[in-house]
Amino acid sequence: MKLLRVLVLIALPLYCLAGSGCPFLEEVVNKTISPEVSVSEYQNFLQDFAQTTDKKEALADVKQCFLNQSNETLYNYAQMMVITVSSDVLSNHGAGTSRLYVCH
């Protein structure tokens, strides 16, 4: 799970306005935890971010890790992502900042 978080929050250049959410990040998380999305579909979806063999293998490992989890674990992970992103937005918004967030 740490690898996915690093991948999503550091490796992917996602641009979000504070308070508006990250639709692409949500789509990445949904595809990551969805048992209906295969490893190859996942790699194709993120091909712009993984152009080397090592990065493609890392994506395959992340997706396979989530394919091996129970539905309860996948649900809990999705809830954790909502809480994490919401708390980051709220804590930064409450500080009175209205800056562009770069989720990478």
Side-chain angles (χ1 to χ4, degrees), residues 27-39:
E27 191 172 1
V28 169
V29 170
N30 289 336
K31 287 187 180 293
T32 302
I33 65 175
S34 174
E36 288 83 29
V37 177
S38 70
V39 171

Side-chain angles (χ1 to χ4, degrees), residues 51-85:
Q51 298 184 2
T52 67
T53 303
D54 289 342
K55 290 178 182 178
K56 289 176 185 176
E57 288 177 11
L59 283 179
D61 290 345
V62 167
K63 181 58 183 172
Q64 190 59 53
C65 174
F66 280 91
L67 287 173
N68 295 337
Q69 302 304 313
S70 68
N71 287 335
E72 180 182 7
T73 299
L74 297 175
Y75 174 81
N76 290 338
Y77 180 77
Q79 295 302 308
M80 180 193 69
M81 289 301 293
V82 168
I83 291 167
T84 301
V85 171

Side-chain angles (χ1 to χ4, degrees), residues 84-103:
T84 301
V85 171
S86 296
S87 66
D88 286 346
V89 169
L90 289 176
S91 66
N92 289 323
H93 188 313
T97 59
S98 60
R99 60 184 174 199
L100 180 68
Y101 283 91
V102 180
C103 307

